[in-house]
């Protein structure tokens, strides 16, 4: 206590003491002398007041900057998580009833079709339950059935137009069934056998009927065409037995011959007599068909010549 009193007198008397700091709640006294670094002396009470609880306003002020700093990070992290989750597991679009119905229709329309079949058209989508894969064979059956009807119409008076239309329609179905079979990628052993037979029956029947009506002017090309058909058919059968049928398959000349023959016969059936304006052009076309028939047949025999000459 004596030391404290002496220092107190010094503070009052000495001008070098420029400042003093007394804290009633602290046992220390801070002195400032001549601008030097302050030093502490013990004084006051040794009892410390209990720490006061921080107020709610101070707590909010201290915590609010942290919340402001942490909230963007947490929001950004959640956004990144949600975006990454969206990228990793994209939600597939929900199938609508109309899409399911269209898929079922397409599946039914493609039933019994080949693997390389074209996409279903308007008719196949509209009638998916129809057995479209049977249509090529049905068209072939129709050509066979049309042969007796053709004979009846040919000998019926004043029926040249009906006879010509029937033969022309049968010729069109010959092209149509082949087109559909290629488009739908479908084949059947019976259809492959019956299609060329139906064509030859229709053409040979018409040639024989016209030969009986017009005589030798039609008989000459008829004999050439029929002889070629018989010879080529026998050649293909023999080559098929040896596993070489592809070497004598139908070529471009054979297709041209068939189309020209059917066109000339359609015009001849439309002509009412040899005085008709259609008669001479159609006869000229028929002779041209006979020439193409000979040249196309020779191509098949040349292809099969090495096999034919074996062992001779």
């Amino acid at each position: 206590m004596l030391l404290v009193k002496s220092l107190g007198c010094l503070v009052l008397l000495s001008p070098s003491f420029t400042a003093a700091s007394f804290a009633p709640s602290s046992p220390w006294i801070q002195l400032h002398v001549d601008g030097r670094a302050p030093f502490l002396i013990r004084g006051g009470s040794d009892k410390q007041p209990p720490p006061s609880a921080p107020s709610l306003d101070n707590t909010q002020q201290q915590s609010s900057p942290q919340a402001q700093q942490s909230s963007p990070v947490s929001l950004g992290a959640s956004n990144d998580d949600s975006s990454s989750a969206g990228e990793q597991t994209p939600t597939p679009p929900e199938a609508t009833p109309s899409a399911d119905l269209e898929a079922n229709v397409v599946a039914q329309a493609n039933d019994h079709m080949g693997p390389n079949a074209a996409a279903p058209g308007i008719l196949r989508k509209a009638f998916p339950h129809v057995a479209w894969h049977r249509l090529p064979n049905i068209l072939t059956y129709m050509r066979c059935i049309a042969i007796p009807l053709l004979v009846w119409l040919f000998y019926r008076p004043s029926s040249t137009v009906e006879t010509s239309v029937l033969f022309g329609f049968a010729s069109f179905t010959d092209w149509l069934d082949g087109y559909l079979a290629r488009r739908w990628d479908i084949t059947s052993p019976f259809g492959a056998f019956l299609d060329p037979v139906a064509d030859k029956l229709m053409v040979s029947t018409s040639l024989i009927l016209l030969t009986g009506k017009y005589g030798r002017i039609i008989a000459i090309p008829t004999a050439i065409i029929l002889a070629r058909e018989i010879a080529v058919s026998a050649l293909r059968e023999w080559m098929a037995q040896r596993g070489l049928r592809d070497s004598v398959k139908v070529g471009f000349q054979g297709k041209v011959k068939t189309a020209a023959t059917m066109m000339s016969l359609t015009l001849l059936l439309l002509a009412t007599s040899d005085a008709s304006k259609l008669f001479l052009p159609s006869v000229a076309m028929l002779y041209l068909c006979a020439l193409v028939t000979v040249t196309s047949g020779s191509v098949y025999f040349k292809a099969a010549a090495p096999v034919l000459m074996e062992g001779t």
Side-chain angles (χ1 to χ4, degrees), residues 160-241:
T160 55
V161 176
E162 292 84 349
T163 307
S164 177
V165 170
L166 178 62
F167 184 86
F169 177 75
S171 301
F172 173 73
T173 59
D174 176 39
W175 169 84
L176 182 61
D177 65 0
Y179 170 77
L180 294 177
R182 292 187 298 271
R183 178 177 174 82
W184 296 339
D185 192 26
I186 51 176
T187 57
S188 65
F190 185 72
F193 156 75
L194 189 61
D195 180 66
V197 171
D199 299 340
K200 290 175 173 57
L201 289 175
M202 180 68 76
V203 170
S204 60
T205 300
S206 300
L207 288 171
I208 292 171
L209 292 175
L210 290 171
T211 300
K213 183 178 180 179
Y214 295 109
R216 60 183 180 182
I217 192 173
I218 303 297
I220 295 174
T222 297
I224 295 173
I225 292 174
L226 292 181
R228 181 265 187 193
E229 294 296 337
I230 295 173
V232 171
S233 297
L235 177 64
R236 286 175 178 161
E237 181 66 23
W238 184 76
M239 294 291 286
Q241 292 178 358

Side-chain angles (χ1 to χ4, degrees), residues 300-312:
Y300 300 138
F301 278 95
K302 287 180 181 179
V307 183
L308 290 172
M309 297 302 176
E310 288 181 358
T312 59

Side-chain angles (χ1 to χ4, degrees), residues 19-288:
S21 176
F22 299 92
S25 61
S26 176
W28 297 92
I29 299 173
Q30 187 178 32
L31 298 178
H32 300 270
V33 180
D34 293 336
R36 298 180 183 179
F39 61 93
L40 299 175
I41 63 173
R42 186 173 179 80
S45 174
D46 293 336
K47 296 182 180 180
Q48 294 290 339
S52 60
S55 63
L56 182 61
D57 295 339
N58 293 335
T59 305
Q60 292 178 353
Q61 291 177 0
Q62 293 176 0
S63 62
S64 60
Q66 297 177 357
Q68 292 176 359
Q69 294 178 359
S70 61
S71 59
V73 176
S74 62
L75 290 175
S78 63
N79 290 335
D80 292 340
D81 294 341
S82 62
S83 63
S84 62
E87 293 177 358
Q88 294 176 0
T89 57
T91 303
E94 297 182 357
T96 59
S98 60
D100 294 339
L101 180 61
E102 184 177 357
N104 292 333
V105 169
V106 172
Q108 292 177 1
N110 284 331
D111 192 19
H112 300 291
M113 299 298 176
N116 299 322
I122 298 175
L123 291 178
R124 286 173 60 193
K125 287 183 178 180
F127 305 98
H129 299 289
V130 175
W132 294 104
H133 64 284
R134 301 182 183 274
L135 183 57
N137 286 343
I138 292 174
L139 294 175
T140 303
Y141 302 152
M142 290 174 60
R143 288 202 302 278
C144 295
I145 296 173
I147 294 174
L149 183 59
L150 179 69
V151 176
W152 178 73
L153 288 175
F154 183 82
Y155 288 109
R156 184 171 178 263
S158 303
S159 298
T160 55
V161 176
E162 292 84 349
T163 307
S164 177
V165 170
L166 178 62
F167 184 86
F169 177 75
S171 301
F172 173 73
T173 59
D174 176 39
W175 169 84
L176 182 61
D177 65 0
Y179 170 77
L180 294 177
R182 292 187 298 271
R183 178 177 174 82
W184 296 339
D185 192 26
I186 51 176
T187 57
S188 65
F190 185 72
F193 156 75
L194 189 61
D195 180 66
V197 171
D199 299 340
K200 290 175 173 57
L201 289 175
M202 180 68 76
V203 170
S204 60
T205 300
S206 300
L207 288 171
I208 292 171
L209 292 175
L210 290 171
T211 300
K213 183 178 180 179
Y214 295 109
R216 60 183 180 182
I217 192 173
I218 303 297
I220 295 174
T222 297
I224 295 173
I225 292 174
L226 292 181
R228 181 265 187 193
E229 294 296 337
I230 295 173
V232 171
S233 297
L235 177 64
R236 286 175 178 161
E237 181 66 23
W238 184 76
M239 294 291 286
Q241 292 178 358
R242 301 177 67 90
L244 300 173
R245 185 180 178 84
D246 290 341
S247 60
V248 290
K249 63 182 180 180
V250 178
F252 178 74
Q253 288 185 347
K255 294 179 180 180
V256 171
K257 181 267 303 180
T258 301
T261 301
M262 290 183 173
M263 187 179 297
S264 63
L265 291 177
T266 302
L267 295 176
L268 277 173
L269 292 171
L270 186 59
T272 55
S273 64
D274 54 1
S276 174
K277 294 181 179 180
L278 293 175
F279 181 74
L280 290 179
S282 57
V283 169
M285 186 178 295
L286 185 61
Y287 275 87
L288 181 60

